[in-house]
Structures are given as C-alpha cells and as structure tokens.
Amino acid sequence: QVHLVESGGGLVQAGGSLTLSCSASGRIRSFPAMGWYRMPPGNEREFVASIIASGSTQYSDAVQGRSSISSNKARNTVYLQVNDLKPEDTAVYYCFASVAGRYVWGQGTQVNVSS
C-alpha cells in the first residue's frame, strides 16, 4: 500500500516562510498527483495546492501568489513553500496522493503561525 511521510511543520512567525515535504512510498510505478489540504482549527478541510506529473500546478485563492509547489518525480516527493505566512495559515496540513483514482493521505503535520 502507498504510504505518505510528511515533514516541515512547526511554529513560524507571521511574515515568515516554511517548506513542507511529502514523500510517497509503496507500490507506485509513476509519479501520482500529489498536493496538500489543510484543516484550520474549528474549520473544514480545505484545498491548498496540487501538482501532477506534467508539472501543472493549482493553488487555492488563500495561498496563490505566495506559494510554490514542486516535485521530485523520481523520488515521488512533493514540496510546498509558503511565504508571507499569516495567522490564518495555522492548520494541520495533510499531504495527499491520488493513486489509481483513490486518495491516500498523510498523517498530517501541524503548522502554527504566530504574530
């Protein structure tokens, strides 16, 4: 089965930057669609960003213009850099991979943005 390992979360000052990483392992023959959702405290899960094998990317309105998602296809790894962090970016961030039309989720990594 596919397994996702996330890293890079933590406490960050508002206006700062962070980079999240997510590596997929298991029975994956090619780079899947990968990306991130997040769950702010007391709110529903929301889409953040995604990338597919072609390199096409998609961002939510909340992070567009200050975020960059990239990948290392050979290692089935995706990176999300978010700049100019805001307190509303505080959330548990969940990596996902879409494998054969099925979503596989990471365990989540906590991001706290303080002022």
Side-chain angles (χ1 to χ4, degrees):
Q1 296 293 313
V2 177
H3 180 66
L4 303 181
V5 178
E6 302 155 324
S7 63
L11 177 63
V12 186
Q13 193 81 4
S17 301
L18 63 73
T19 299
L20 303 179
S21 300
C22 177
S23 295
S25 62
R27 298 191 178 276
I28 304 173
R29 288 188 168 90
S30 60
F31 185 79
M34 297 184 69
W36 301 86
Y37 280 75
R38 68 187 184 186
M39 186 176 295
N43 289 89
E44 299 293 326
R45 181 186 63 179
E46 63 185 40
F47 173 79
V48 180
S50 66
I51 188 168
I52 60 178
S54 69
S56 295
T57 59
Q58 187 176 19
Y59 301 93
S60 69
D61 291 340
V63 303
Q64 193 165 29
R66 58 189 181 96
S67 297
S68 178
I69 187 169
S70 60
S71 65
N72 184 325
K73 296 177 184 177
R75 291 177 166 79
N76 292 318
T77 300
V78 64
Y79 310 91
L80 177 68
Q81 181 175 344
V82 185
N83 303 312
D84 191 24
L85 285 160
K86 307 173 181 179
E88 52 263 42
D89 293 320
T90 294
V92 179
Y93 285 70
Y94 295 93
C95 178
F96 75 85
S98 182
V99 182
R102 174 177 171 268
Y103 274 58
V104 179
W105 297 94
Q107 80 285 353
T109 183
Q110 179 73 50
V111 174
N112 290 300
V113 183
S114 65
S115 60

